[in-house]
Amino acid sequence: MIASWSEGIARALRATAMSPALLVHGSSGKVAALPPDVIAMPALLPAVAYSVNVEHADADEQATITELVKVFTDMAQVVANHEGHAHRAVHAKGHALLRGRFRVLEGLSPELSQGLFAAPGEYDALVRLSSPPAEQLPDTVSTPRAMAVKIMDVPGARVEGGDEQHSQDFLMVNGPAFNTPGIRGFLRSAKLLAATTERMPRTKQVLSATLRGTEAALEAVGGQSATLKALGGEPQHHPLGETFFTQVPFRYGAYIAKFSWVPVSPALKALTGEPLESAPDTQREAVAAFFAQPGAVAEWELRVQLCRDLEKMPIEDASVVWPEEISPYLPVGRLLVEAQASWSADAESSEDQLAFAPWHALAAHRPLGNLNRARRVVMAAVREFRSTFNPCPLHGPTSG
């Protein structure tokens, strides 16, 4: 098992050392702004029109997805047998379950007025903050942060393959790109994760501390490694100050886009990069402390990055950071969450009955690319396992 982790760490370091993207994008994955007298920003290219031809499945895609289903359901079974309860196969540990309101902005351009965003409106929303992997690890093993938002009672034609009929879900993590181009690499990473599930808890904590130091050193010289973070090297920062990304593309009505949640309220912006102590439930406690404050206000802006160049902004390679000099992220909505109990005695039971999935979507926001196609099948299989093992049927949320 140590050898498996070591192999993954070595691959991450080699990839970081050789990645020319780091020379351009730095630690944030964004191109640094240059003074206006150095370079003039060109006019934006028109957005690429969506068509079924933008997706291309490899010949072995279905076989790879079948393997992924087995790896993730087996991993869920191992955790369920060990803990006596079936959890999500990824992002198992919840840190908060919150209620809020989502507002579509007024005055959007024709390019941006698509699907859910075709007209101004307000919706109830549920927010789940979490972190991987499949087991309930202490936060001393620091892995990437995740934010899932379920916008409720959304009218409109639904995407095929979704099993929830009235929500639009957005699942994001705090990094702009996936750690592998597609499902073949994802399968390799999943097998590595499965080999260590519910094993070596003390070793994972020691490795996490070491990897956080390595990741900090990389970021100090303008680099970062998604793989190191996934293995436990995520910097121990406050989750409410993070910016979150879908990493993979979606249909955006007539176009194609990626999404991002960006903290915009002053209290959230003040938490960006805020260090947390390394403790078993440090994220849950930090979020709870924030929302327990009288008058607490958290607001995120939902931003859209339209695809404007299929070569530089590929659909099937999720490891590529779409360059913002070609297509900047543009605001389309706001999510407001106010003071409340973010984690209560029955919160775990409540979130256990919910499912967040990218295929809980309008047809206008169909998930695209091989990773999203795999997620539809794998996540459905794991949801079925959870519902059967616990037993507790999953159901959609209610507004209010």
Side-chain angles (χ1 to χ4, degrees):
M1 303 308 163
I2 296 288
S4 297
W5 273 54
S6 299
E7 179 186 353
I9 293 165
R11 282 201 305 269
L13 290 172
R14 288 196 298 270
T16 303
M18 295 187 296
S19 174
L22 291 175
L23 301 178
V24 180
H25 297 293
S27 63
S28 68
K30 300 178 182 178
V31 174
L34 297 175
D37 59 336
V38 175
I39 185 170
M41 291 295 290
L44 295 178
L45 296 169
V48 173
Y50 168 76
S51 88
V52 295
N53 297 323
V54 300
E55 293 187 276
H56 305 282
D58 291 337
D60 63 347
E61 179 170 296
Q62 288 306 313
T64 304
I65 291 175
T66 299
E67 279 198 76
L68 281 165
V69 169
K70 177 170 173 50
V71 169
F72 277 98
T73 53
D74 285 354
M75 191 159 39
Q77 182 76 65
V78 168
V79 173
N81 290 342
H82 188 270
E83 301 186 14
H85 189 83
H87 298 285
R88 292 165 170 85
V90 289
H91 302 289
K93 186 172 183 179
H95 304 302
L97 187 63
L98 302 155
R99 287 191 176 269
R101 289 283 290 174
F102 177 74
R103 173 172 58 91
V104 176
L105 298 181
E106 298 180 357
L108 296 179
S109 69
E111 268 192 340
L112 298 178
S113 298
Q114 305 284 324
L116 172 63
F117 312 96
E122 289 198 21
Y123 305 86
D124 287 336
L126 278 176
V127 182
R128 181 179 186 258
L129 300 177
S130 64
S131 56
E135 54 196 304
Q136 299 281 312
L137 291 174
D139 290 352
T140 47
V141 181
S142 186
T143 55
R145 283 77 167 109
M147 179 173 172
V149 178
K150 184 181 294 292
I151 300 171
M152 297 187 283
D153 299 325
V154 175
R158 309 296 300 177
V159 69
E160 78 283 1
D163 57 2
E164 201 168 275
Q165 297 303 308
H166 303 288
S167 70
Q168 174 65 52
D169 292 5
F170 294 103
L171 280 65
M172 306 193 199
V173 295
N174 61 330
F178 201 63
N179 62 4
T180 184
I183 58 175
R184 291 174 185 161
F186 185 34
L187 178 60
R188 289 193 295 270
S189 299
K191 287 179 176 178
L192 171 62
L193 180 63
T196 62
T197 298
E198 296 293 4
R199 300 180 183 179
M200 310 181 304
R202 176 58 184 162
T203 301
K204 289 176 182 176
Q205 293 180 56
V206 172
L207 276 172
S208 179
T210 302
L211 293 175
R212 288 199 299 274
T214 305
E215 177 63 24
L218 282 174
E219 294 189 4
V221 294
Q224 65 174 335
S225 167
T227 302
L228 286 185
K229 291 182 177 183
L231 289 170
E234 179 70 37
Q236 195 68 275
H237 292 159
H238 202 300
L240 294 180
E242 298 284 355
T243 295
F244 297 90
F245 304 84
T246 56
Q247 299 186 335
V248 288
F250 294 78
R251 183 175 178 179
Y252 192 77
Y255 307 110
I256 304 160
K258 291 184 179 181
F259 296 91
S260 176
W261 288 114
V262 180
V264 291
S265 57
L268 290 192
K269 291 167 71 174
L271 295 176
T272 300
E274 180 73 17
L276 296 178
E277 66 172 332
S278 187
D281 292 311
T282 191
Q283 293 189 68
R284 190 178 292 172
E285 291 165 359
V287 174
F290 177 89
F291 284 105
Q293 300 174 91
V297 173
E299 190 168 21
W300 290 266
E301 191 166 73
L302 182 62
R303 297 180 184 175
V304 168
Q305 185 184 30
L306 293 172
C307 178
R308 301 182 187 277
D309 184 325
L310 282 172
E311 182 177 344
K312 295 178 180 178
M313 309 173 81
I315 305 303
E316 300 291 349
D317 187 346
S319 67
V320 174
V321 177
W322 285 9
E324 291 187 52
E325 73 271 25
I326 293 177
S327 183
Y329 278 93
L330 302 172
V332 293
R334 290 283 182 110
L335 174 66
L336 179 67
V337 180
E338 297 181 300
Q340 60 189 274
S342 63
W343 195 261
S344 59
D346 62 350
E348 189 165 358
S349 174
S350 297
E351 68 152 14
D352 206 37
Q353 298 172 32
L354 297 171
F356 294 82
W359 288 83
H360 293 166
L362 295 171
H365 301 305
R366 175 189 176 87
L368 302 177
N370 62 91
L371 281 164
N372 267 330
R373 293 192 295 273
R375 290 165 92 189
R376 180 178 68 83
V377 181
V378 173
M379 294 176 78
V382 173
R383 287 197 299 272
E384 178 64 25
F385 172 78
R386 284 171 55 202
S387 182
T388 302
F389 184 94
N390 282 338
C392 177
L394 304 179
H395 56 77
T398 56
S399 300

